[in-house]
Amino acid sequence: MNFLIVGAGLSGAVIGRALADAGHKITIVDSRPHVAGNCHTERCAETGVLVHVYGPHIFHTDDAEVWDYVNGFARFLPYRNRVKSTVGGSVYSLPVNLHTINQFFGKTMRPDEARAFIETTQADTTITDPQSFEEQALRFVGRDLYDAFFRGYTEKQWGCAPTELPASILKRLPLRFNYDDNYFNHRFQGMPEQGYTAMVEAILAHDGIDVHLETPFTHEMAKRADHVIWSGPLDAYFGYSLGRLGYRTLDFERFTDTGDYQGCAVMNYGARDVPYTRITEHKHFAPWESHDATVCYREYARSCGPDDIPYYPIRLVEEKALLGEYEALAEAEDGVSFVGRLGTYRYLDMDVTIREALDLVPGLLQRFGTPKSP
Ligand code: UDP
């Protein structure tokens, strides 16, 4: 069968590879000049630093099968994401852990003391079932830590009040009563030695896959395929006929310097009066490399216009209603599978994207057959 895959990001590459392995013929189109979507990495010609062009991507997962999958296409080297936050003239450790709590309150508490301190003097225990981001923060860390680390950052990141955002966004971050400052709780974490673009190129390196870059999708192309896998924005497939789903986009103010600019990969800025959310220093994402110069991004979030790159689906009440309508249209579109972050309008981490892509394949093979036994 002939499959047309729109988008050469993680979803498109993983699905394309599995279908090609099963003997199908795959054409992938992508409007950008590179594969790997928003996890694209590129070496800076001036400094040699491997840059995460669309902002930092750190691979972390609990899914052993997904971890084995990515390690089959790239050598992953150990990387621990350790994030700092500059607030009120001090630098703190994130996610909020015992070091953050002791430093912030000027104390030397042990784990149980800190837990009791937060629960009795900080947390708002009258909130029994937190619904919003703000309620979740007030319930678990209390007003002082919320105001310092989460409130301003979240307003900048999402462009709305944290009372309007779901608690699930904050639930991404752990709260720890020990000195573990690993940003993620997952068993597996690392970075592909040569970057994500090299990894996606390896996934796509198959005789049955033809990749056409700088090639925007047209509905004419779809007519020549037996089935379409769409990883572009869900609303874009339907020509935005019902209106646009809301996204946040990011602007990066890139600058280079000599030496080490900030001493870590990610420095967040919690305060509202600093216009950017964070500064990322890309050579620290590849700590096994050594460079004299450095490349940094100041990161600004804003609402996504028609010509901007969509990053974060907003999914507030109005988007959810519109999403339901687009989902109904997608459901009725028998010749198309909608996949990935943009195709399903969800805030997906890379590992979940790969898991969902792998899980889609058996159904497609059942429907379209397996020309070649694996
Ligand atoms: N967040 C915050 N302060 C921080 C870091 C994160 O308030 O210093 C909030 C913010 O709303 C963000 C959410 O926590 O969207 C989840 O953080 P995470 O680091 O998972 O965001 P990502 O950049 O990966 O989307």
Side-chain angles (χ1 to χ4, degrees):
M1 291 284 174
N2 283 310
F3 285 86
L4 173 68
I5 299 186
V6 185
L10 284 177
S11 297
V14 170
I15 295 167
R17 176 61 182 241
L19 293 174
D21 280 343
H24 291 289
K25 178 99 198 61
I26 314 300
T27 302
I28 303 189
V29 294
D30 197 300
S31 55
R32 296 189 199 178
H34 58 75
V35 301
N38 277 8
C39 63
H40 172 54
T41 44
E42 192 174 86
R43 262 191 207 284
C44 165
E46 179 197 340
T47 62
V49 172
L50 189 65
V51 173
H52 293 223
V53 177
Y54 302 93
H57 283 72
I58 296 116
F59 202 90
H60 55 96
T61 189
D62 259 340
D63 189 327
E65 203 186 322
V66 167
W67 182 241
D68 286 347
Y69 182 89
V70 293
N71 277 275
F73 293 101
R75 184 148 80 132
F76 273 69
L77 294 182
Y79 177 83
R80 290 285 167 273
N81 199 29
R82 294 200 170 85
V83 175
K84 306 291 172 209
S85 184
T86 296
V87 185
S90 292
V91 177
Y92 296 94
S93 164
L94 285 183
V96 173
N97 62 71
L98 192 48
H99 204 166
T100 326
I101 296 169
N102 274 330
Q103 186 188 352
F104 188 80
F105 294 103
K107 294 188 181 288
T108 57
M109 294 178 284
R110 290 182 294 107
D112 287 350
E113 293 167 336
R115 195 184 291 277
F117 170 79
I118 293 290
E119 196 63 12
T120 56
T121 74
Q122 300 294 311
D124 182 346
T125 50
T126 62
I127 300 170
T128 50
D129 183 19
Q131 296 297 316
S132 70
F133 185 102
E134 179 164 296
E135 284 179 353
Q136 176 79 8
L138 294 178
R139 171 63 190 86
F140 290 101
V141 300
R143 170 67 62 185
D144 295 341
L145 291 166
Y146 167 60
D147 281 349
F149 296 108
F150 300 115
R151 190 179 177 160
Y153 188 99
T154 298
E155 285 172 3
K156 291 188 283 186
Q157 172 77 13
W158 294 97
C160 63
T163 47
E164 291 172 51
L165 292 165
S168 58
I169 295 181
L170 185 58
K171 286 183 192 156
R172 288 169 60 86
L173 298 186
L175 164 66
R176 299 206 187 97
F177 294 99
N178 58 32
Y179 289 99
D180 180 3
D181 63 351
N182 184 352
Y183 203 68
F184 303 115
N185 274 332
H186 288 147
R187 273 188 299 165
F188 308 107
Q189 185 174 169
M191 283 287 192
E193 186 178 22
Q194 300 302 332
Y196 292 100
T197 299
M199 179 181 87
V200 173
E201 281 168 354
I203 297 173
L204 292 169
H206 190 289
D207 285 346
I209 302 179
D210 264 339
V211 180
H212 302 269
L213 298 176
E214 298 182 273
T215 307
F217 167 80
T218 61
H219 282 276
E220 274 308 303
M221 293 174 184
K223 289 186 191 139
R224 294 194 290 271
D226 296 305
H227 192 71
V228 175
I229 313 279
W230 176 266
S231 72
L234 174 61
D235 51 355
Y237 181 82
F238 298 104
Y240 307 101
S241 56
L242 306 174
R244 278 178 186 269
L245 290 166
Y247 280 96
R248 299 293 282 170
T249 190
L250 299 175
D251 290 325
F252 300 109
E253 195 174 88
R254 179 181 170 135
F255 62 96
T256 54
D257 203 343
T258 49
D260 193 352
Y261 179 74
Q262 62 182 14
C264 65
V266 183
M267 178 65 77
N268 288 357
Y269 288 84
R272 254 176 289 186
D273 54 2
V274 177
Y276 41 88
T277 50
R278 58 185 180 178
I279 298 180
T280 53
E281 183 165 9
H282 292 239
K283 69 178 174 183
H284 293 303
F285 290 120
W288 55 89
E289 294 189 2
S290 158
H291 300 280
D292 295 332
T294 195
V295 180
C296 298
Y297 275 14
R298 274 189 207 96
E299 195 170 312
Y300 301 80
R302 63 175 168 80
S303 77
C304 186
D307 298 325
D308 297 320
I309 297 170
Y311 283 80
Y312 296 91
I314 301 177
R315 293 183 79 100
L316 291 181
V317 178
E318 63 197 75
E319 276 88 16
K320 273 197 178 154
L322 188 56
L323 174 61
E325 294 176 41
Y326 275 120
E327 280 172 342
L329 286 183
E331 193 66 33
E333 201 78 14
D334 195 43
V336 185
S337 302
F338 293 85
V339 300
R341 177 179 58 97
L342 300 174
T344 63
Y345 191 65
R346 283 175 306 142
Y347 190 174
L348 297 183
D349 284 335
M350 289 184 284
D351 64 325
V352 181
T353 305
I354 292 173
R355 162 51 57 204
E356 292 192 358
L358 292 172
D359 286 348
L360 184 79
V361 173
L364 291 172
L365 294 182
Q366 207 171 23
R367 185 169 159 194
F368 296 102
T370 310
K372 188 171 84 190
S373 301

